[in-house]
Amino acid sequence: MFGTQDLALFVVSGLLLNIAPGPDSLLIMSRSAVHGWRSGSAAALGIGAGTLVHVLAAALGLSALLSTSATAFAVVKYVGAAYLVWVGFGMLRRRATAPGAGGGSGKVPALTHAQVFRQGFLTNVLNPKVAVFFLAFVPQFIAPDAEHKALAFIVLGCIFNFNGMLWCHFLAFATAYASRRVRPSQRVALWLNRLIGAVFVSFGLRLALGTRS
């Protein structure tokens, strides 16, 4: 169908790959835990939009440039790494808002859903390894005799992204639910935010210092 093959295996493999932890999952969990499922959903939708960019770029052959040109790969890699570090430092620097009239501890300042969406989008789209991943993974499930291989690539990419969105939104709801049950103090939430910021910095450094493999 549409020039694809082994579709069931592709779906199962895609789900397992989406479940693997990384910057995308961490962003969704952090936003859901601190600001609720809507914020986590906004991050997930931004990640999904970034994934669609990678799918279309790969189908059009743009991602092949990243896999063959060391300069292009390095430029995107360092931009993406810098963005992850910037997001991480932003979370590390974030301070609680002023205490309320009741004298309680301040809350972690919330970002708008549009800001969280943008974070999710840029975290995903500026990672060149995602583009290279699509070039390495998806073609294995395109039939050699497919008449329209680009169409088959887009179909598979959309299936992968749809499954990813199911997982990402489950992650957002589950994290928000667990956070409501545990009900951490605002001070704990603030330090959790900072801890995740430190992890984002480490992701950025690892991306910058890593190889193309």
Side-chain angles (χ1 to χ4, degrees):
M1 183 178 181
F2 296 109
T4 64
Q5 62 182 5
D6 300 325
L7 191 57
L9 178 60
F10 174 80
V11 171
V12 173
S13 301
L15 284 172
L16 293 175
L17 289 167
N18 277 307
I19 291 173
D24 292 345
S25 298
L26 194 62
L27 181 65
I28 293 169
M29 292 176 67
S30 66
R31 294 312 177 205
S32 298
V34 178
H35 302 303
W37 69 266
R38 288 182 177 83
S39 185
S41 178
L45 292 173
I47 290 164
T51 300
L52 284 178
V53 171
H54 284 296
V55 170
L56 293 175
L60 295 173
L62 297 178
S63 292
L65 178 64
L66 292 177
S67 64
T68 57
S69 170
T71 300
F73 184 90
V75 168
V76 177
K77 180 179 76 169
Y78 290 128
V79 171
Y83 179 75
L84 288 175
V85 171
W86 180 75
V87 170
F89 274 122
M91 298 174 77
L92 285 170
R93 294 195 308 268
R94 187 153 300 188
R95 298 179 181 273
T97 56
S105 59
K107 296 183 178 181
V108 179
L111 299 174
T112 66
H113 292 159
Q115 289 174 315
V116 176
F117 178 92
R118 186 166 60 249
Q119 280 189 344
F121 177 78
L122 292 176
T123 298
N124 184 276
V125 82
L126 290 178
N127 188 346
K129 291 189 175 182
V130 177
V132 175
F133 158 78
F134 274 108
L135 284 178
F137 177 68
V138 175
Q140 300 177 49
F141 299 92
I142 298 177
D145 58 348
E147 184 176 356
H148 302 290
K149 289 184 169 59
L151 176 61
F153 198 108
I154 292 174
V155 169
L156 290 171
C158 288
I159 292 173
F160 181 91
N161 199 24
F162 177 77
N163 290 335
M165 287 297 94
L166 292 179
W167 167 252
C168 287
H169 279 85
F170 168 78
L171 196 61
F173 282 107
T175 304
Y177 176 78
S179 180
R180 287 198 304 270
R181 293 297 297 270
V182 174
R183 294 187 181 277
S185 68
Q186 292 300 329
R187 183 175 295 276
V188 171
L190 179 63
W191 281 102
L192 175 62
N193 198 61
R194 290 173 177 171
L195 175 62
I196 294 172
V199 176
F200 260 82
V201 172
S202 71
F203 273 130
L205 294 176
R206 187 172 66 177
L207 177 60
L209 301 176
T211 62
R212 295 176 59 164
S213 59

